[in-house]
Amino acid sequence: MSVSHDDLRIERVDTVIIDVPLRRPHKFARVTMDAQPVLLALVHTRAGVVGVGEGVVPGGPWWGGESVESMKVTIDTYVAPLLIGRRVDDIEAIWRDVSDRVNANLYAKTAVEVALHDAWARSLGVPVHTLLGGLARTSIDVTWALGAEPEEVVVDEALAKLHDGEHSSFKLKMGAVEPEEDTRRVCAIAEKLAGSAGVRVDLNARWDLNTSLTYLPRLAAAGVELIEQPVPGEQVEALAEINARLPIPVMADESLRTPVDALRLVRLRAADVWSMKTTKVGGLRRSRDIVAIAAAADIPCHGGTSIETGIGTAASLHLACAAPGLTWGSELFGPLLFAEEILQTPLRYAGGQLHLPEGPGLGVDLDFNAVAALRRTHLIRGE
């Protein structure tokens, strides 16, 4: 397909904040949310093509230091002016110039970077995964994340998912209560699901080294198959010690945001699995680079989530299907947790997997009526 340079030029960049209600409250180690704030970035080309990207953090700035409010200000004030008149296929040069103007802010950068890929691919009439090197797979296993609720609530939800054939592995949130109580709760859940489902846990970086070495072996003995990020992200040496001493894999999440982080994790052999969240590293190209580093070190990657809508989930799915090293499944369940759909055609989940949509760009299209109904009219929620 022939596309002129002028057709690819960026005419404007819009940002919209929406608040999407959840089907049930989702409890993390530090916060509980009943709606997910989402920042949508829309890149318009002179030819009339619109690319969409999503910036989202799980439950606010506690996780990554950004919020949808900060993303909107950053993009509108500092990033968008650098894009006007540039071509959507000039992604690496745009990244360089944006990074010279804006340090860190990887979630905001992801929203724009994904929108650029979507607009570029739509302009060419090809799917985004083509721009990433083509397909390694067309679907990926999906682990269902359970909140930090009481044992009976979590078990009932997991058994219902198993009965309906929707999911066969589950991730439990920890860190919201005292370690002894938390460990007892998760051990009881793991034992009740033993033989029926895989059980993983995520500490959201809430414990220290000594607490981890005291309680995590009990989780392993109870049948938990993987431990995600027990200690704060900067404590990579502690993560490495835990990884060396546990008989089950440790997964890095908060410790992995840049290619430099990836090299440090390799050097220390700090984690046996890496959580690859497109949102947290700045977009699709940096995600691809980090997965390649992991593959060179024989470390499998897992498709992580920040609980994105169908836009962000589709972006992560294109990455997961194009990156050969992303072999540890995913938890790209975000759209299933939302009570409102913002896509014209929802992503397809079947047989415990998420399946890649067909079509140009991300392969999904916004339902602008749904976006309008969920759009926040003030910068701060509830203002």
Side-chain angles (χ1 to χ4, degrees):
M1 180 177 181
S2 177
V3 180
S4 74
H5 284 180
D6 279 344
D7 286 343
L8 295 175
R9 294 197 183 279
I10 299 165
E11 191 167 72
R12 75 176 195 273
V13 179
D14 297 329
T15 57
V16 178
I17 293 176
I18 59 176
D19 293 294
V20 190
L22 304 185
R23 295 182 183 275
R24 55 130 169 101
H26 194 69
K27 189 173 184 180
F28 296 93
R30 305 183 195 188
V31 301
T32 299
M33 66 180 193
D34 54 16
Q36 174 70 303
V38 176
L39 184 285
L40 296 174
L42 297 91
V43 171
H44 300 255
T45 71
R46 289 182 182 173
V49 172
V50 181
V52 184
E54 177 177 335
V56 59
V57 287
W62 69 275
W63 199 97
E66 294 179 67
S67 67
V68 293
E69 297 86 5
S70 72
M71 291 179 216
K72 180 170 177 57
V73 171
T74 297
I75 294 171
D76 291 350
T77 307
Y78 301 103
V79 177
L82 295 175
L83 271 61
I84 306 305
R86 307 282 288 270
R87 298 202 317 268
V88 291
D89 63 345
D90 198 20
I91 293 174
E92 289 296 344
I94 288 173
W95 175 278
R96 179 199 63 214
D97 294 345
V98 167
S99 295
D100 284 345
R101 181 73 60 86
V102 179
N103 182 40
N105 285 273
L106 294 173
Y107 285 88
K109 290 175 180 176
T110 292
V112 173
E113 196 255 19
V114 169
L116 290 170
H117 277 91
D118 188 34
W120 181 17
R122 287 177 186 273
S123 297
L124 298 176
V126 301
V128 163
H129 62 72
T130 298
L131 306 182
L132 301 176
L135 288 176
R137 58 189 65 85
T138 59
S139 63
I140 192 165
D141 291 340
V142 178
T143 292
W144 181 256
L146 299 159
E149 286 82 8
E151 170 191 336
E152 61 277 7
V153 175
V154 169
V155 170
D156 287 348
E157 184 176 346
L159 291 176
K161 297 290 182 185
L162 282 168
H163 179 268
D164 293 341
E166 296 176 2
H167 302 276
S168 59
S169 66
F170 300 92
K171 188 174 84 170
L172 300 169
K173 291 291 185 180
M174 296 184 69
V177 298
E178 289 300 311
E180 179 65 39
E181 178 186 349
D182 224 1
T183 300
R184 184 212 57 78
R185 178 184 71 94
V186 171
C187 286
I189 294 168
E191 288 164 1
K192 287 183 178 180
L193 296 177
S196 301
V199 175
R200 306 165 181 185
V201 301
D202 182 5
L203 274 298
N204 281 136
R206 288 291 284 171
W207 287 358
D208 58 24
L209 176 61
N210 288 335
T211 303
S212 298
L213 294 178
T214 298
Y215 292 101
L216 293 181
R218 287 169 53 181
L219 298 178
V224 171
E225 63 183 15
L226 176 140
I227 307 292
E228 182 175 349
Q229 196 71 45
V231 294
E234 66 272 13
Q235 296 180 15
V236 180
E237 290 79 7
L239 190 67
E241 184 172 346
I242 295 165
N243 191 43
R245 293 176 63 173
L246 284 182
I248 58 176
V250 169
M251 182 158 69
D253 185 8
E254 283 89 338
S255 293
L256 177 64
R257 303 194 193 201
T258 69
V260 174
D261 292 339
L263 290 174
R264 187 181 180 198
L265 289 170
V266 169
R267 188 169 61 250
L268 295 175
R269 199 68 193 190
D272 290 328
V273 184
W274 293 357
S275 177
M276 192 63 263
K277 292 177 181 174
T278 298
T279 49
K280 72 178 179 181
V281 304
L284 295 164
R285 288 176 176 250
R286 294 307 174 274
S287 296
R288 184 190 59 186
D289 293 345
I290 290 171
V291 175
I293 293 170
D298 197 27
I299 297 170
C301 285
H302 165 81
T305 183
S306 296
I307 309 186
E308 301 94 341
T309 71
I311 293 295
T313 301
S316 294
L317 179 59
H318 276 268
L319 183 277
C321 288
L326 216 151
T327 57
W328 198 267
S330 81
E331 55 187 271
L332 297 178
F333 65 90
L336 298 175
L337 193 58
F338 291 113
E340 301 286 344
E341 178 60 68
I342 69 164
L343 299 182
Q344 293 181 23
T345 301
L347 291 168
R348 186 168 72 90
Y349 292 85
Q353 294 191 321
L354 174 58
H355 298 263
L356 188 69
E358 297 180 353
L362 293 174
V364 296
D365 296 294
L366 278 175
D367 179 341
F368 283 99
N369 289 329
V371 170
L374 297 168
R375 183 171 186 165
R376 190 186 298 179
T377 56
H378 295 84
L379 184 59
I380 305 300
R381 188 179 178 186
E383 193 174 63

